[in-house]
Amino acid sequence: MPRFFVENENILGEKIVIGGEDAKHISLSLRARVGEKITACDGKGVDYECEISDITKNEVTLSVLEKKNSETEPDIEVTLYQALVKSDKFDFIVQKCTELGVTKIVPVVTDRCISKPDDASLAKKLVRWNKIAKEAAMQSGRGHIPTVENAVSFDEALAGLKRTDCGFLCYESNPHTAIDEIYNKCKEKGSIKTCAFLVGPEGGISEKEAEKTMGEGISLASLGPRILRTETAPLCVMSAVMLMSGNMT
């Protein structure tokens, strides 16, 4: 069943109105007709099973048949602090981590970042990244659209890691600890509802940054014996977290 995200102001009781490019896609690309079923989602975890009651190329009106909580969202909130990398790599990371269940992605400026766009360039990139997140959420059946937020400093990212139930930084060199050991140690302190991790840029995390991380009492996580590319590492961690939290069976 086709799935589309709608703004709250377009949810009018038992009616939902879809306009813009989505309406054109439904009417022209999908060639949908009155009576066909569509799932509308508010982007915050609520699904509306609907039937098309009226359709033009500019607007589609839906009649709500059933309202329910999305069954595709993980029960853990995961934030990825991703060091700024070349645009095509960041595009890929946003798309794939959205598919895997990430809640939020925060770009980070680190010592070895090759890509350090100015404010104007970053603003344009954020618009594109959030669009990619929305499209990936729609394609993968998510009930929540992850947000890609403004870039933060390394110190701000560390503060974010400390605010979660389980936060760690991915680091390829010793001293580091296996992800499952870190996760299980956090679990001993109580249930894990929030998790956050930081992945470095193409050149990795500097020794100075690793030392600062340990000084803040944040764990350095190993991703195994092989060195992973910066665009591969977050996918590896997301998969591991989803598996350990029982959201990938």
Side-chain angles (χ1 to χ4, degrees), residues 75-76 183 187 240-249:
D75 60 8
I76 182 173
Y183 191 89
K187 199 171 182 179
V241 170
M242 288 296 114
L243 183 62
M244 291 186 293
S245 62
N247 287 284
M248 184 180 286
T249 57

Side-chain angles (χ1 to χ4, degrees), residues 62-227:
L62 308 175
S63 295
V64 177
L65 303 176
E66 182 183 6
K67 175 183 175 181
K68 60 182 181 180
N69 291 329
S70 172
E71 299 175 349
T72 61
E73 285 302 301
D75 60 8
I76 182 173
E77 294 184 5
V78 184
T79 299
L80 162 61
Y81 288 91
Q82 173 64 52
L84 284 165
V85 293
K86 294 178 181 179
S87 277
D88 58 338
K89 293 181 180 179
F90 211 101
D91 292 355
F92 177 82
I93 291 167
V94 170
Q95 182 187 64
K96 299 308 175 187
C97 285
T98 294
E99 293 176 20
L100 287 167
V102 76
T103 306
K104 180 170 62 176
I105 299 173
V106 184
V108 184
V109 179
T110 65
D111 288 345
R112 294 176 178 170
C113 281
I114 298 173
S115 174
K116 293 184 180 181
D118 57 32
D119 290 344
S121 297
L122 183 58
K124 291 180 181 178
K125 291 177 185 293
L126 286 173
V127 171
R128 184 175 77 252
W129 291 333
N130 277 289
K131 182 180 179 181
I132 290 171
K134 180 180 178 180
E135 291 172 348
M138 187 185 303
Q139 180 276 326
S140 58
R142 292 284 304 269
H144 170 81
I145 303 175
T147 55
V148 185
E149 302 193 346
N150 287 320
V152 300
S153 67
F154 184 77
D155 287 346
E156 289 172 318
L158 292 187
L161 295 181
K162 294 178 71 174
R163 288 194 295 267
T164 64
D165 297 329
C166 184
F168 52 89
L169 179 147
C170 302
Y171 190 57
E172 69 273 13
S173 303
N174 282 314
H176 55 192
T177 306
I179 288 179
D180 61 339
E181 290 184 37
I182 295 172
Y183 191 89
N184 289 331
K185 187 174 181 180
C186 292
K187 199 171 182 179
E188 291 174 0
K189 301 176 183 178
S191 61
I192 299 176
K193 297 297 183 183
T194 59
C195 178
F197 63 98
L198 193 157
V199 174
E202 290 91 345
I205 294 295
S206 69
E207 291 183 7
K208 176 183 175 183
E209 289 169 332
E211 290 173 359
K212 180 179 285 188
T213 301
M214 289 188 292
E216 292 290 332
I218 300 169
S219 298
L220 302 180
S222 165
L223 303 186
R226 292 167 295 282
I227 304 298

Side-chain angles (χ1 to χ4, degrees), residues 9-85:
E9 57 263 31
N10 291 336
I11 302 174
L12 312 171
E14 298 303 310
K15 297 286 185 182
I16 293 177
V17 177
I18 298 177
E21 292 301 316
D22 284 345
K24 291 180 181 178
H25 181 69
I26 294 170
S27 61
L28 300 178
S29 299
L30 296 181
R31 297 182 181 275
R33 296 291 182 266
V34 170
E36 291 187 26
K37 303 296 192 297
I38 279 182
T39 299
C41 181
D42 65 359
K44 298 177 182 177
V46 178
D47 288 347
Y48 297 82
E49 303 302 332
C50 304
E51 181 179 273
I52 298 175
S53 57
D54 189 48
I55 185 168
T56 69
K57 68 176 183 179
N58 296 316
E59 188 173 277
V60 178
T61 303
L62 308 175
S63 295
V64 177
L65 303 176
E66 182 183 6
K67 175 183 175 181
K68 60 182 181 180
N69 291 329
S70 172
E71 299 175 349
T72 61
E73 285 302 301
D75 60 8
I76 182 173
E77 294 184 5
V78 184
T79 299
L80 162 61
Y81 288 91
Q82 173 64 52
L84 284 165
V85 293

